[in-house]
Structures are given as structure tokens and as C-alpha cells.
Amino acid sequence: MPGTGPRDAGPRNTGPGVLRAGIRRAIRIGSRPGPWKRGPVLAALALLLGLSMLLHARIPNRFGHLGSLAETVLPWFGLFIPVLLAGALWRRSASAVAALLLPVLVWLHLFGGLLSAKSRPGSDLTVASHNVSADNPDPAGTARDLAASGADVLALEEITPQAKPLYEKELATEYPHHTVRGTVGLWSKLPLSDTRPVDIEMDYGPLADTKPAAVRMAYNRALRTTVATDQGPLAVYVAHLGSVRVNPRVGFWTDTRDRNAQALGKAIAAEHNERVVLLGDLNGSLDDRAFAGITSQLRSAQDTAGDGFGFSWPAEFPVVRIDQILVRGVKPDSSWSLPATGSDHLPVAAGISW
């Protein structure tokens, strides 16, 4: 029938109301921000994250050692990248996605090399280090586990007077040579000589020199000895630097550790032997500027020949590597963490060659 088609449904409304609605719709579309204008806060946060990692050495330490704290957890800055990416995708912000390229590239530059497998089979000597913890409920079991590790040279830190005889007894068969100075010791399958404590200024101040030597030795936390290898003498340092604390009043307190690190760096600088190994709990990540005097002379076995980050503390869920093996004059072939013991630290080991 005529008049029933779509074109004949009725006259169109072309009045001023429709015109005004069309104008308002056009204004809304025109004023809606495009993808490059969305998410300016997310873009700014992404740039700030990238710059914080890139310029971490410039973060001031004047206020609660904020710079050292940031450098201690620097690898974990990467966790913010997927969070910001999720926000950028939700906001459909092209500018935020583009800004995220900076932190991604910086993180890969700093830590991307740790993600690749760098260990090589075979080595001339295996060294290991373990903070056995003063509160270890089973020092004898810890000693047996370490003896089974196959390490040729084994450093222990935080040895208590009560636990010392247990370590000596359990390690005697595998390690006929050993020395203990205060709370640190070294067990070796090879002969030791020229052993002496290293003053890392644990006891510091005008009254330090007035204390008897026996009192100072009781809490000595560093030693130096020479290991006789088939390739010649190897100078080995064992150290346990001062603890760090985080609290609201002082922030990241590192004064003792930083002083110890400087003193240890000076001792290593005075070492005449070209071949040096440093084993110990340094209570900090090597990204921390406090260790510049040490890392300028020695290189990390984990960074050079390890697989992954090698986090060692706390043992239940390691988030930072504070137990270190550093070398000079020898070649790291491999670096790894040993299974957990009764300590709150994981033991760390490395294979080295000449």
C-alpha cells in the first residue's frame, strides 16, 4: 500500500531542538581528550620512576639515608612498571604508555644482565660464605649441611662462643685448617697462614683505644688470611659489617655499616696480594653507594657469573642480597645460593679459577 515504506514513516523533526542537541554532541566529541592527552599523572609518574632509577646516585642521603635505602631495594622498583602499565591501558593513555619506555629501558640497563645465565661449569676453587645467625637453633646441623656443600673454603659469620665448639667439631673432618677471630671464622681444605684480625672500626670513638685487646677481640667482625692454593697464595677476607635499622625517628640508619665499609675498603686497598676474595655479610646491596670503596676494587661473583639476583635475606623469602662474594685477580665461573639452614640468611657460594 502506498505510504507504508520507511521513507514515509512520517516527517522528520528538523526543529531547533535537534539542532541544539547536535551542536552539544559535537562539542562533547571535540572537547573529549585524545589518547595523547589522557593520563598526564600516569605519564608523570612513569617519568619520575625512570629518572629515580637512572639517577639513583643523586638521591640525597641527608634525610634518613634515603638514597641508600632506595639503592638497597632498587631492583624492586621494576614492580611499579606493570602497575603503571595497567593504569595506562585502563585510561587508554598513549602518553603514559610512551613514558613507560624510560623506566623499562633503565631497569633493563641496570638489571637485565642478571636475568641471563652466566655460570660456566668447572672451577679451580669453590668458596662459600654463611651468616649462621647467633640465634640458630641447630648450629651442628648447619655445620653438617655446609660441610656437604663441597666448598673448599668456607667463611662463617656471627659465630657465638657457645656455638663455636660445635662448628669446630662438625667441620673438622672436611676442613683440617681453620681460624676464628671474634665472631667470624674461616674453614679451609687448604693450609692457612698470615692470619690476623682486620680493624673495621666496630668500636669507634675516644674510648676505643682504652679497652683491653681481649675485650675488643671478643666482638671482632673481620679477619684476613692467606690460603695456599696450587696456583699460589690467595688473600681471603671475611667480614660482617654493622647492622642497619629502619625506624621513623632516624629513617634508614646505616652509620656503623658505612664506617665499617670504609675501613674495610682501606684494608683491601693496602693488600699486596693481587688475588683477593672477600666473603661475608655486608648488610647491604652492592648498589648502595656506601660500598663504592669496595666495589671499585673488587667485582661481584654473582653479577659476573651468577644466574639471577641471588637474593640471600631473609631466608624464608629473600628480597635482597646482603651476603656477598667479591674477587680480584681471579675469574668467577659460577655463583649460586645454597639451601636454607637454621639461619635467617641463605649461604652463598661461587666457583673461581685462575
Side-chain angles (χ1 to χ4, degrees):
M1 296 177 62
T4 59
R7 295 177 180 269
D8 300 320
R12 295 183 180 181
N13 188 350
T14 58
V18 173
L19 181 60
R20 287 195 296 269
I23 293 174
R24 286 195 296 269
R25 188 180 304 112
I27 292 174
R28 284 197 302 269
I29 295 173
S31 61
R32 188 178 301 166
W36 289 100
K37 294 183 178 180
R38 298 191 195 113
V41 174
L42 290 171
L45 290 175
L47 293 175
L48 179 61
L49 176 62
L51 291 174
S52 297
M53 291 190 291
L54 181 63
L55 305 175
H56 62 85
R58 301 293 184 90
I59 300 175
N61 249 351
R62 292 190 299 272
F63 307 105
H65 289 87
L66 183 61
S68 286
L69 178 59
E71 289 168 334
T72 298
V73 297
L74 196 58
W76 295 99
F77 277 40
L79 290 180
F80 292 107
I81 295 175
V83 174
L84 292 173
L85 178 60
L89 295 176
W90 179 68
R91 291 283 288 124
R92 298 180 182 178
S93 171
S95 59
V97 172
L100 277 169
L101 288 175
L102 176 62
V104 168
L105 293 175
V106 172
W107 193 93
L108 290 175
H109 170 71
L110 293 174
F111 305 111
L114 297 176
L115 303 179
S116 61
K118 301 182 292 298
S119 61
R120 300 179 295 274
S123 60
D124 294 327
L125 193 73
T126 300
V127 298
S129 177
H130 189 27
N131 180 326
V132 292
S133 177
D135 298 322
N136 192 324
D138 185 18
T142 295
R144 289 191 293 270
D145 291 342
L146 294 173
S149 69
D152 301 299
V153 176
L154 173 64
L156 302 185
E157 304 90 46
E158 212 164 296
I159 303 171
T160 64
Q162 297 77 18
K164 177 184 173 184
L166 296 173
Y167 291 118
E168 291 175 329
K169 177 183 177 181
E170 297 296 335
L171 296 173
T173 302
E174 288 292 326
Y175 301 97
H177 311 280
H178 87 281
T179 181
V180 176
R181 294 292 189 273
T183 63
V184 297
L186 189 75
W187 276 258
S188 175
K189 296 180 180 180
L190 304 171
L192 304 177
S193 63
D194 193 19
T195 301
R196 58 181 183 270
V198 176
D199 182 11
I200 57 172
E201 300 182 3
M202 285 301 302
D203 194 6
Y204 182 77
L207 298 179
D209 294 335
T210 66
K211 296 181 179 181
V215 174
R216 295 197 301 270
M217 182 55 66
Y219 50 87
N220 175 74
R221 293 171 62 151
L223 66 81
R224 182 261 183 222
T225 191
T226 300
V227 178
T229 75
D230 293 339
Q231 289 77 21
L234 175 69
V236 177
Y237 287 76
V238 182
H240 181 197
L241 305 190
S243 300
V244 300
R245 297 287 184 270
V246 180
N247 62 66
R249 188 172 63 87
V250 298
F252 191 49
W253 185 82
T254 63
D255 292 0
T256 300
R257 186 209 62 183
D258 294 353
R259 184 175 67 246
N260 298 162
Q262 292 178 7
L264 181 59
K266 292 177 181 177
I268 294 172
E271 174 62 53
H272 297 297
N273 197 324
E274 294 181 357
R275 298 168 177 170
V276 178
V277 172
L278 169 60
L279 307 167
D281 173 8
L282 302 190
N283 266 311
S285 162
L286 295 182
D287 293 314
D288 193 327
R289 66 197 68 180
F291 300 109
I294 297 175
T295 55
S296 63
Q297 306 179 70
L298 308 175
R299 57 177 175 160
S300 165
Q302 180 65 29
D303 290 352
T304 305
D307 300 336
F309 290 93
F311 295 145
S312 64
W313 182 89
E316 295 81 5
F317 186 77
V319 296
V320 64
R321 183 180 179 90
I322 62 177
D323 301 276
Q324 309 291 352
I325 299 176
L326 298 101
V327 303
R328 180 181 80 196
V330 295
K331 180 179 66 175
D333 295 312
S334 54
S335 179
W336 66 96
S337 297
L338 297 169
T341 68
S343 171
D344 58 340
H345 295 244
L346 291 179
V348 295
I352 60 175
S353 298
W354 277 258

